Amino acid sequence: MTFRWTILLAAVLFTAGFLVNACKKSGAPAAPPTTPLTFTVPDGWPQPLYNFEGNPITKEGFELGKKLFYDGILSKDGNFPCASCHQQFAAFATFDHPLSHGFDNQFTLRNAPGLFNMVWLPAMHWDGGINHIEVQPLAPITAPNEMAEDIANVVKKLQQHPEYPNHFKAAFGDATVTSERMLKALTQFVGMMVSANSKYDKVKRGELSFTADEQKGYEIFQAKCASCHTEPLFTDNSYRNTGLPLDPVLKDYGRMRITGNSADSLKFKVPSLRNLYLTFPYGHDGRFYAVRDVLDHYSHGVQDGPTVDPLVKNKIPLSDADKFYLQYFLRTLTDSTFIADKRFGPPQ
Amino acid sequence: MNAMRKCFIGLALVVASLTSCQKEYKEPAPDHAFSVRFRPVVQETDNILEFGKTYTNFFNEPFEVRTFKFYVHDIKLINTENGYTFSVGKDEHFLVDAADTIGSRIDVKVPTATYNRISFKIGVDSVRNFSGAQTGALDPALGMFWTWNSGYIMAKLEGTSPVTGQPGDVFEYHIGGFKAPDNVVQQVSLPFPSPITLRKDAETEIIIAADVYRWFNGVHDIRLDTNPVVMSPGPLAKKVSENYANMFTVLHFISYL
């Protein structure tokens, strides 16, 4: 008798447990487990502004983001994945192109920047128009001269794809494709791209030391450049007019396009100088082919105007020797580990 | 007997688990089903907007509408007599789309009480404009997000007019902007024709006219020939929002038993 009741009790308890469980997962089948990945902040760097709080990084989410980044499916005709303009060997800039090619033989308005250390940026794009890393991909996906797609259509294509729903399930627990999940996966991939292993970094960590020429260049840099290209990210994230004359064809007024304020006319975001020698050409429209051309601009090309920054208004005096040493220093910012990192290469 | 007691404990556990489950997943909810139905109209509250039909605005400019959408949030039902206010929640966003009757209705739950006023905001709460990827009414796939200058398009009126001088005769008002001084989020507060007491066993629908005619004038003159396109935040977008903040009129209530 007691025995029977015990079985019944066990059954009842089991059911109770089951109900509790079912209610926790709101009736859905158990989500497959995910493998967490950790994001490491390099020593001595500030905390990133995007910290993956609402978007915990997992191997599955990261791999999905990588697949999306390298897949033409996000573009209208299938030919323009993110990776067509952001190439790893160029530190994810467009190699050797002032402007990148997009849909229907069109050029982008601006030079594609390298992609690394993105989670430290308070705003993205040369004009700072993008206020959050998660929504950044919406811009290239929908731009008629880039990927020329429609977000709802991309979501539909991914949902109907033979493989993607499974990847979404692995990363997010079920096979539903939403723009939010797609954007979060892309953010896991792009956000993980950290470049902090250049010679400069090794010197900072005490593993190597600068040559005498590099050291001289570093000192000139600290005196004349670092107030805008601030270490360790080599940008202070401000918008400045460095006296580049307006291109009459592109008519790009930079930050003013976003704020509508004439005081922001011709101001552009200070770019990081990390991996500089991989991301040529230079400037927001790629008008400078070589680092030397940029230095020549600072020393005698600056054109004054109402919004030109006081720090460059009277040009930056740089002797030929200064330019020589500066280039030695700037070369130490190349991170060859980053461009060879298989994690960021095309999916196998 | 002892065993019987054990069984009761077991049953109690089942019940407990069920109730605890409810507690965890359902806030003590207001129980009255309340819908806000927006009726798109032109100039007169009984002149229902038809897409593709030609109307004229205050400046005698002919126009046809093909898209009419706006965000609503921070809905409150108010009784100014006794000071009671029920807030649906600042974070709940709804996209009203005049293209279909389902899209133009918002369903919420409110406590049964007597109310004499409704208030809400037109637009998207400023924080949500820089919160990254979102879903539901704020899914960027709904086409109400500016991709190149992050932020929501808070209200959209699109169509054609022969006076615009634009390719395809289009006019496009994409109104957004969440930063001062060009924040276009507008507070709307509408008195009811007479106070309504919601009944426990009924569902209530409130019909509110949303008049596209009011986009063009009222506070500021927005002419289709001089301003056919508003596509970015700024003083002009702000003016349009100050016009359409006045486009609403409470018409009546319907009660379903």
Side-chain angles (χ1 to χ4, degrees):
Chain A
M1 188 66 173
T2 321
F3 178 59
R4 244 196 12 241
W5 280 114
T6 319
I7 291 183
L8 184 54
L9 173 62
V12 163
L13 282 176
F14 176 81
T15 324
F18 176 76
L19 283 168
V20 171
N21 240 354
C23 118
K24 270 196 185 119
K25 280 169 194 152
S26 53
T34 49
T35 322
L37 294 181
T38 39
F39 180 90
T40 317
V41 180
D43 282 346
W45 284 32
Q47 284 302 311
L49 298 173
Y50 181 82
N51 56 14
F52 299 96
E53 213 169 65
N55 183 20
I57 328 173
T58 60
K59 187 171 185 310
E60 293 75 14
F62 177 87
E63 293 297 330
L64 170 59
K66 171 172 17 190
K67 192 172 162 67
L68 291 164
F69 188 88
Y70 280 95
D71 197 336
I73 194 169
L74 297 190
S75 69
K76 183 170 184 165
D77 63 1
N79 288 329
F80 297 97
C82 311
S84 69
C85 296
H86 297 288
Q87 300 160 309
Q88 189 178 19
F89 61 91
F92 292 99
T94 308
F95 180 71
D96 197 13
H97 276 69
L99 305 175
S100 320
H101 297 273
F103 181 73
D104 202 13
N105 295 313
Q106 300 176 84
F107 282 112
T108 55
L109 173 67
R110 300 189 177 128
N111 180 251
L115 303 184
F116 45 81
N117 310 339
M118 290 287 123
V119 291
W120 280 272
L121 295 185
M124 321 195 108
H125 286 190
W126 283 99
D127 56 17
I130 311 290
N131 66 19
H132 197 288
I133 186 174
E134 286 174 6
V135 297
Q136 189 283 331
L138 297 170
I141 293 173
T142 58
N145 58 342
E146 296 187 42
M147 300 160 88
E149 252 295 8
D150 169 81
I151 303 301
N153 198 45
V154 168
V155 170
K156 200 170 108 197
K157 283 197 290 185
L158 293 171
Q159 190 73 75
Q160 290 168 355
H161 190 272
E163 290 161 24
Y164 273 107
N166 283 334
H167 292 289
F168 276 80
K169 182 171 180 187
F172 298 108
D174 67 72
T176 312
V177 178
T178 63
S179 73
E180 185 188 24
R181 288 175 169 183
M182 172 186 81
L183 295 170
K184 287 191 161 163
L186 277 166
T187 301
Q188 291 192 22
F189 179 64
V190 174
M192 274 291 259
M193 294 179 180
V194 174
S195 176
N197 203 25
S198 62
K199 177 166 184 189
Y200 161 85
D201 297 297
K202 290 174 186 161
V203 172
K204 287 281 154 185
R205 295 198 295 259
E207 296 162 17
L208 292 175
S209 41
F210 284 137
T211 64
D213 290 345
E214 289 163 353
Q215 181 62 35
K216 275 192 195 138
Y218 185 34
E219 281 155 22
I220 300 166
F221 184 85
Q222 287 184 306
K224 303 196 165 171
C225 319
S227 42
C228 298
H229 299 285
T230 313
E231 297 168 66
L233 292 149
F234 289 87
T235 170
D236 68 347
N237 295 313
S238 62
Y239 306 92
R240 316 255 192 165
N241 177 353
T242 52
L244 271 61
L246 177 76
D247 180 305
V249 179
L250 297 171
K251 292 206 178 63
D252 186 354
Y253 290 92
R255 184 70 181 153
M256 189 174 90
R257 184 168 178 246
I258 301 305
T259 62
N261 183 348
S262 57
D264 290 328
S265 175
L266 299 173
K267 290 188 181 170
F268 292 87
K269 194 178 68 189
V270 176
S272 173
L273 299 182
R274 287 180 170 271
N275 296 305
L276 186 66
Y277 278 83
L278 303 169
T279 61
F280 72 101
Y282 306 110
H284 65 267
D285 53 11
R287 69 178 72 181
F288 302 115
Y289 250 89
V291 174
R292 174 72 197 218
D293 298 338
V294 182
L295 300 181
D296 288 346
H297 166 77
Y298 284 119
S299 68
H300 53 266
V302 177
Q303 283 200 8
D304 200 7
T307 61
V308 172
D309 201 276
L311 290 170
V312 299
K313 211 174 174 60
N314 302 312
K315 307 190 172 65
I316 302 180
L318 293 171
S319 67
D320 277 354
D322 290 345
K323 291 178 188 171
F324 171 87
Y325 295 128
L326 269 174
Q327 290 184 73
Y328 265 106
F329 167 66
L330 292 169
R331 276 182 202 282
T332 70
L333 298 178
T334 303
D335 179 353
S336 40
T337 340
F338 175 65
I339 60 171
D341 192 331
K342 290 247 183 333
R343 287 181 301 158
F344 304 124
Q348 304 304 318
Chain B
M1 266 305 111
N2 187 21
M4 194 72 149
R5 232 183 20 238
K6 270 188 202 156
C7 179
F8 271 120
I9 295 172
L11 276 171
L13 273 172
V14 175
V15 174
S17 72
L18 280 171
T19 37
S20 80
C21 162
Q22 243 157 22
K23 258 194 216 120
E24 229 178 305
Y25 293 98
K26 260 187 211 145
E27 302 285 292
D31 49 5
H32 187 87
F34 188 81
S35 313
V36 184
R37 185 191 291 282
F38 288 95
R39 177 191 286 178
V41 301
V42 189
Q43 200 172 4
E44 306 292 339
T45 53
D46 55 0
N47 187 20
I48 296 184
L49 170 74
E50 282 175 48
F51 283 33
K53 182 173 165 184
T54 305
Y55 301 95
T56 49
N57 67 11
F58 179 76
F59 310 102
N60 258 322
E61 298 171 310
F63 67 95
E64 284 179 14
V65 173
R66 72 167 181 233
T67 309
F68 178 30
K69 297 183 191 182
F70 52 89
Y71 275 108
V72 168
H73 77 284
D74 201 10
I75 301 175
K76 288 182 181 138
L77 285 184
I78 300 163
N79 185 338
T80 52
E81 295 295 312
N82 62 13
Y84 177 71
T85 296
F86 174 74
S87 172
V88 169
K90 201 170 177 263
D91 250 11
E92 285 259 20
H93 284 74
F94 306 91
L95 178 58
V96 177
D97 183 351
D100 64 278
T101 47
I102 304 276
S104 56
R105 201 182 78 198
I106 292 172
D107 296 321
V108 294
K109 293 270 186 176
V110 304
T112 46
T114 301
Y115 302 101
N116 63 5
R117 185 173 276 272
I118 185 170
S119 79
F120 51 86
K121 293 196 175 100
I122 306 295
V124 174
D125 186 40
S126 64
V127 175
R128 299 298 209 99
N129 285 273
F130 47 88
S131 298
Q134 290 165 83
T135 193
L138 296 176
D139 188 333
L142 295 170
M144 296 293 280
F145 190 81
W146 273 312
T147 57
W148 55 276
N149 183 2
S150 312
Y152 284 91
I153 298 170
M154 306 203 183
K156 206 185 235 190
L157 184 68
E158 289 177 344
T160 53
S161 165
V163 305
T164 65
Q166 294 291 308
D169 290 341
V170 296
F171 73 89
E172 291 179 302
Y173 295 152
H174 293 186
I175 309 304
F178 56 94
K179 288 179 211 145
D182 298 323
N183 188 333
V184 300
V185 176
Q186 294 289 348
Q187 175 74 52
V188 175
S189 183
L190 306 169
F192 295 163
S194 57
I196 177 159
T197 304
L198 304 181
R199 289 182 43 183
K200 242 197 181 60
D201 47 357
E203 294 182 10
T204 309
E205 190 167 288
I206 178 175
I207 315 288
I208 300 179
D211 186 355
V212 296
Y213 192 85
R214 304 298 287 270
W215 281 56
F216 304 99
N217 68 299
V219 185
H220 308 280
D221 289 354
I222 305 291
R223 298 178 60 111
L224 285 164
D225 57 359
T226 43
N227 288 310
V229 177
V230 184
M231 292 287 247
S232 53
L236 188 56
K238 172 104 182 193
K239 283 184 179 169
V240 177
S241 76
E242 284 165 0
N243 275 356
Y244 68 56
N246 297 312
M247 73 174 160
F248 301 102
T249 317
V250 174
L251 298 181
H252 56 261
F253 290 93
I254 303 174
S255 258
Y256 302 100
L257 283 176

